Amino acid sequence: MRMAPFDNKVTLWAGSKKLSPADYDKRFNFKLSGYREGLVYFPRYDENDKPYLEGISTLKLTIDGDIGPITMGKQIDFYWDVSHDDPSRLYAGRAAARLELERLIKRLNQLKDEKSKLEEQIAGIDKEIQMVQSRIEELERE
């Protein structure tokens, strides 16, 4: 797939308003032959500082079909029903607990790795202390 120039191939429709990307991961401009992950940012407010999503029930993301031979001459559309979105529900319930658990497990693994590295450093310092003390004892005997 060839999605360059990416900002001309992707459009977000907020009701009847056509929005072009404000910013995006520039790797989308290069040939894509597998999985690619990145972010695309669209403007949130119009020139009068009014939010584009206010009063909107459905968002549509359109990708130009000229990005690949299979989709040539077609249009790829993704729809989101945003009328019942409640961001506070994202951090409630079992799904939120699972996300928190995954985050805590990752943090625990990072702390364990950090602890093992510090223990190695402490062991090295202890060994050096013993060598210095034994050398001091040798010099005191002379």
Side-chain angles (χ1 to χ4, degrees):
M1 291 177 26
R2 298 185 192 284
M3 298 182 15
F6 185 75
D7 56 341
N8 293 338
K9 303 282 184 183
V10 176
T11 305
L12 183 68
W13 293 90
S16 61
K17 297 175 186 104
K18 180 180 178 180
L19 306 173
S20 296
D23 194 17
Y24 60 93
D25 192 335
K26 301 304 180 206
R27 294 177 299 165
F28 289 138
N29 283 328
F30 298 100
K31 183 179 178 184
L32 175 65
S33 60
Y35 178 79
R36 178 132 331 136
E37 187 174 309
L39 298 173
V40 180
Y41 297 96
F42 291 92
R44 295 181 67 178
Y45 303 97
D46 63 8
E47 54 278 346
N48 299 326
D49 290 331
K50 183 179 177 204
Y52 283 116
L53 298 180
E54 192 173 284
I56 301 299
S57 61
T58 304
L59 287 175
K60 178 172 81 167
L61 180 74
T62 301
I63 301 175
D64 189 357
D66 294 339
I67 61 171
I70 295 174
T71 59
M72 191 70 70
K74 298 177 183 171
Q75 182 173 303
I76 305 163
D77 294 328
F78 297 94
Y79 292 90
W80 287 273
D81 179 14
V82 295
S83 60
H84 301 293
D85 278 0
D86 182 8
S88 65
R89 290 178 54 197
L90 181 63
Y91 301 106
R94 282 192 345 216
R98 202 172 315 130
L99 286 171
E100 178 70 5
L101 180 63
E102 288 177 13
R103 185 189 70 78
L104 290 173
I105 289 172
K106 285 180 185 177
R107 181 64 180 146
L108 181 62
N109 290 333
Q110 289 174 346
L111 290 172
K112 285 181 179 179
D113 291 343
E114 194 174 319
K115 179 183 175 185
S116 67
K117 289 176 185 175
L118 290 173
E119 285 174 344
E120 289 174 12
Q121 287 179 346
I122 290 173
I125 291 171
D126 285 341
K127 187 176 179 181
E128 188 174 346
I129 288 172
Q130 289 175 353
M131 287 174 36
V132 169
Q133 284 179 342
S134 64
R135 180 66 179 145
I136 289 173
E137 290 172 1
E138 283 179 21
L139 290 173
E140 286 177 347
R141 280 188 229 135
E142 291 178 5

